[in-house]
Amino acid sequence: MVARFTRRTFIGSVGVGLALTACASTRDNGGGSGSSDAPPRGPRPGAPREGDIPLPAGATMPTRVLGRTGERVSVVGLGGFHVGMQKDPQESIRIIRMALDHGVNFLDNCWDYNDGESERRMGVALQDGYRQKAFLMTKLDGRTRQSAAEQLDQSLKRLRTDVIDLVQIHEVIRGSDPARVFGPDGMMEALFAAKQAGKLRYIGFTGHKDPAYMVAMLKAGFEHGFTFDTVQMPLNPMDAHYKSFEKDVLPVLVEHDIGVLGMKPLASGILLESGLVSAPECLRYAMSLPTSVVITGCDTAGVLEQALHTAYTFEPLRKEEKETLLARTAPAGRSGQYEPFKNTERFDGTEKNPKWLTTAEL
């Protein structure tokens, strides 16, 4: 059960959380899979091939309410990074349309994914009536009003749409992000103006580094009289043991009816390298939390079918099932080895490309 967390106790806890965070380095090497310079690309060894997992006949995609927006979104969402890397763009388009045809309506993307190629391919896939099937989200890196506005206009053009359903502040992974975003001539000014102009409908943010940074962003919003519509964060069976978003951020979102976007349920397959969990277990774990949608990367049709099957046949984990799974993952999870996005720069696009924070140049 998610604990109640009032606004008063939430705001009072922020200073302690940030102080504790400051005592720990977020740039230590997590070892194992965290030693590479870039996130994994392409299907992992042993990934299902198309047709390996038959989908149940007549199955329908479960949907959930996206926080206080009232929008209904599919329990599983299609990650944008992984649909911009196929050698043949037509395969990317096929995967996106296959997802939409099977009831996945939540599409994730980002201004910088694959140098804009993820948005370009998704924009093509959304033609011929497919835009009407999708709840479309993208993310922006720019922390200034001008850079964010220019990035948004590029995203609109690449996605071939006049309005994006949800735009999120990407990679809240620094203690300085809340002040920059809400400061004079900051990113929020661009997002508010774009919403007023009808270019976007809802505003959220994402992060994968440390829960304290996300708590600080929520606090900054409250102090400015603003409550975010959504927050996107890692949720998986390893997260509970190390810098846990499930423990430290999720209760705040539930308290304020903010849409919960779970991501990195498999950590691009890195969690599977532990030999302790299976892909369906990871997806089911995240779906069993009070998430609105669980976003997962599907670089092949076979991996997409695996996610579809898990969603179609979903039943929440029983209490004893969750306890068993967490006990199994605890020894490996406590080190953060299988969540390198928390303790290395491997997944930090804006650390590797700091110009994205202030310009619209890829």
Side-chain angles (χ1 to χ4, degrees), residues 126-191:
L126 289 174
Q127 301 309 296
D128 306 321
Y130 277 90
R131 176 66 182 92
Q132 287 67 43
K133 294 185 176 185
F135 184 91
L136 181 62
M137 177 269 279
T138 200
K139 316 179 198 81
L140 307 176
D141 298 317
R143 297 305 192 248
T144 66
R145 177 170 183 151
Q146 182 175 343
S147 61
E150 291 176 359
Q151 289 176 12
L152 176 59
D153 285 342
Q154 289 179 21
S155 290
L156 286 163
K157 184 176 181 180
R158 290 196 292 251
L159 289 166
R160 302 190 183 191
T161 186
D162 295 326
V163 59
I164 298 171
D165 297 301
L166 170 62
V167 173
Q168 299 197 109
I169 302 163
H170 194 214
E171 290 192 350
V172 175
I173 58 174
R174 306 164 191 80
S176 60
D177 281 331
R180 293 186 72 181
V181 166
F182 280 97
D185 210 30
M187 185 180 194
M188 288 305 299
E189 292 185 10
L191 296 181

Side-chain angles (χ1 to χ4, degrees), residues 63-254:
T63 61
R64 296 177 178 176
V65 178
L66 184 64
R68 68 186 183 285
T69 70
E71 303 283 349
R72 295 205 69 89
V73 292
S74 50
V75 69
V76 65
L78 186 67
F81 180 76
H82 293 261
V83 294
M85 62 176 62
Q86 291 73 21
K87 291 182 179 180
D88 183 357
Q90 291 303 314
E91 181 61 13
S92 303
I93 295 165
R94 185 174 81 92
I95 291 171
I96 296 167
R97 290 188 170 183
M98 178 179 173
L100 292 167
D101 287 338
H102 283 81
V104 174
N105 74 342
F106 191 99
L107 299 183
D108 162 275
N109 221 310
C110 181
W111 169 82
D112 68 56
Y113 282 167
N114 298 293
D115 294 330
E117 189 63 19
S118 286
E119 286 189 334
R120 280 188 285 270
R121 296 183 185 190
M122 189 167 283
V124 175
L126 289 174
Q127 301 309 296
D128 306 321
Y130 277 90
R131 176 66 182 92
Q132 287 67 43
K133 294 185 176 185
F135 184 91
L136 181 62
M137 177 269 279
T138 200
K139 316 179 198 81
L140 307 176
D141 298 317
R143 297 305 192 248
T144 66
R145 177 170 183 151
Q146 182 175 343
S147 61
E150 291 176 359
Q151 289 176 12
L152 176 59
D153 285 342
Q154 289 179 21
S155 290
L156 286 163
K157 184 176 181 180
R158 290 196 292 251
L159 289 166
R160 302 190 183 191
T161 186
D162 295 326
V163 59
I164 298 171
D165 297 301
L166 170 62
V167 173
Q168 299 197 109
I169 302 163
H170 194 214
E171 290 192 350
V172 175
I173 58 174
R174 306 164 191 80
S176 60
D177 281 331
R180 293 186 72 181
V181 166
F182 280 97
D185 210 30
M187 185 180 194
M188 288 305 299
E189 292 185 10
L191 296 181
F192 290 149
K195 183 175 182 180
Q196 187 173 14
K199 294 181 178 181
L200 64 88
R201 299 172 63 209
Y202 303 110
I203 299 171
F205 71 91
T206 82
H208 59 250
K209 185 64 64 182
D210 193 302
Y213 298 147
M214 307 193 83
V215 170
M217 181 65 89
L218 289 163
K219 176 178 180 288
F222 291 152
E223 290 176 342
H224 285 81
F226 175 73
T227 300
F228 286 96
D229 296 307
T230 61
V231 170
Q232 182 171 335
M233 60 189 182
L235 292 170
N236 60 62
M238 296 286 188
D239 168 75
H241 309 299
Y242 177 74
K243 293 184 180 179
S244 178
F245 292 87
E246 177 183 343
K247 292 179 179 179
D248 296 342
V249 183
L250 184 57
V252 186
L253 306 186
V254 172

